Amino acid sequence: MPRTDNDTWGITESVGATALGVAAARAAETESEAPLISDPFARVFLDAAGDGMWNWFAVPNLPAEIVEAEPDLKPRMQRMVDYMAARTAFFDQFFLDATRADVRQVVILAAGLDSRAWRLPWPDGTAVYELDQPRVLEFKSSTLRDNGAEPTCNLVHVPIDLRHDWPEALQRAGFDASAPSVWSAEGLLPFLPAAAQELLFERVQALGSAGSRIAVEAPGPGFLAPDALAKQRETMQRVRDLMAKLEPERDIPDVHDLWYFEERDDVGDWLASHGWEVTVTPAEELMAGYGRQLAQDIEDAAPQTLFVSAERVGE
Ligand code: SAM
């Protein structure tokens, strides 16, 4: 289904199911031999959601017919698990560093099934605001509550669409724009139209006082490269066709149908020109830093993204 301006979703539908896909990668990493991160809640979410295309990453054995027809698929999926592991470790570290610098307001934009509010050692008095669509947050809190999990912070859910007036909702929920805050946008930007992305950063700019920090997973220069995109789509289409024959109950949506392929502001440049001190790390470098080098023999094996971190030092 194509995207529309006011579309909404539950956890197993449309953009919502991508949060389960990330949880599946975190479950696979957590249950691997030498995990970079430990997210015990990822498996809890998958169990609660039931079977679907989203738990592909967490299924150790793909059907033999698919492995045979698409020999690159398995190593590519492992690269994605590596990528998600490095991405999770990066944002974990970023938040913990901010709390060490006494920031006590955390805003997770498009929190999905990110379980940091339940698993990181937040200092006393830390408020974590999680923003996402209402049905996604409802699934998350009811699943964790049913499993007896308790947040390790003062958790505040702000169920809202990020294309709507979320700053008003965030402040009504207790956020104080006069105190420093730390923000994340992980696995979010391609799901927003370019204009909504622009507005998102203008709003963060209005709410993030001096000393605030932000980390963003941003599309890099090669993200929209038509050849690589066409190749990815073709591969996914072949896998989808095979899967439809083998396991018709598993529907595999194409993430490309959920993204907005529009030219966007460069996030690092934008922040740098608005008073933030910026560090940009390409995905490959981030992964290598965590000991997850890319396999040489697989082309385009990691997303063309940049990990941007910034601290507000000026007006
Ligand atoms: N940040 C989480 C993580 O890394 O695990 C979730 C990433 S998941 C790929 C994308 C998330 O963005 C989903 O939870 C989805 O509901 C949320 N999202 C995308 N567009 C949104 C919007 N317009 N308003 C609210 N949430 C949105």
Side-chain angles (χ1 to χ4, degrees):
M1 279 267 284
R3 300 289 311 276
T4 55
D5 284 351
N6 278 312
D7 51 352
T8 66
W9 46 82
I11 197 66
T12 58
E13 303 161 345
S14 176
V15 185
T18 68
L20 280 166
V22 181
R26 291 196 188 115
E29 176 68 18
T30 300
E31 293 157 15
S32 68
E33 265 172 31
L36 195 55
I37 53 143
S38 173
D39 182 354
F41 301 109
R43 176 59 69 184
V44 171
F45 292 129
L46 297 179
D47 288 347
D51 201 16
M53 72 85 208
W54 47 79
N55 49 26
W56 259 40
F57 287 121
V59 177
N61 296 314
L62 290 175
E65 291 88 338
I66 292 194
V67 175
E68 211 171 291
E70 296 292 336
D72 265 7
L73 188 64
K74 232 176 146 185
R76 274 179 187 281
M77 286 173 67
Q78 182 53 48
R79 284 311 107 192
M80 278 310 288
V81 171
D82 288 341
Y83 175 82
M84 294 297 179
R87 169 175 123 174
T88 305
F90 164 81
F91 282 96
D92 282 0
Q93 193 58 51
F94 179 77
F95 281 127
L96 292 177
D97 288 347
T99 61
R100 273 184 215 109
D102 292 333
V103 179
R104 293 290 180 269
Q105 298 190 99
V106 176
V107 185
I108 305 184
L109 298 166
L113 301 177
D114 160 353
S115 65
R116 293 189 176 93
W118 285 261
R119 65 177 177 79
L120 290 189
W122 303 102
D124 284 351
T126 306
V128 177
Y129 297 90
E130 292 198 329
L131 281 67
D132 207 299
Q133 286 227 347
R135 285 184 285 154
V136 171
L137 291 183
E138 175 47 38
F139 169 81
K140 179 179 194 174
S141 42
S142 62
T143 302
L144 292 179
R145 205 174 37 239
D146 292 350
N147 277 273
E150 296 281 347
T152 51
C153 58
N154 305 331
L155 172 67
V156 184
H157 269 179
V158 184
I160 193 155
D161 192 297
L162 289 163
R163 293 161 293 185
H164 298 163
D165 189 0
W166 57 265
E168 204 262 330
L170 180 63
Q171 287 174 292
R172 216 170 344 104
F175 178 86
D176 175 6
S178 67
S181 43
V182 55
W183 301 71
S184 70
E186 177 189 21
L188 167 65
L189 297 186
F191 297 107
L192 293 177
Q197 170 178 324
E198 210 174 293
L199 185 58
L200 185 94
F201 285 105
E202 280 165 12
R203 287 167 158 175
V204 171
Q205 182 74 4
L207 295 171
S209 58
S212 293
R213 299 173 181 214
I214 186 166
V216 183
E217 181 195 26
F223 196 81
L224 291 176
D227 290 355
L229 282 177
K231 228 157 112 187
Q232 282 167 19
R233 289 201 91 144
E234 276 166 28
T235 311
M236 276 316 291
Q237 191 55 48
R238 285 200 306 271
V239 172
R240 239 194 332 271
D241 292 347
L242 265 174
M243 206 58 171
K245 277 191 220 141
L246 294 168
E247 296 185 25
E249 68 285 3
R250 273 188 206 248
D251 178 28
I252 315 174
D254 187 345
V255 74
H256 298 90
D257 290 339
L258 306 174
W259 286 346
Y260 287 88
F261 291 99
E262 299 173 354
E263 291 296 334
R264 291 155 191 272
D265 287 339
D266 178 279
V267 174
D269 290 350
W270 192 93
L271 288 168
S273 64
H274 286 78
W276 300 72
E277 209 167 76
V278 178
T279 306
V280 179
T281 311
E284 282 190 30
E285 198 180 312
L286 187 88
M287 291 172 71
Y290 286 113
R292 302 291 169 105
Q293 277 84 358
L294 296 179
Q296 298 300 316
D297 50 344
I298 305 175
E299 259 182 86
D300 311 317
Q304 298 291 311
T305 54
L306 300 172
F307 287 81
V308 178
S309 54
E311 179 171 351
R312 188 158 187 184
V313 288
E315 281 312 301

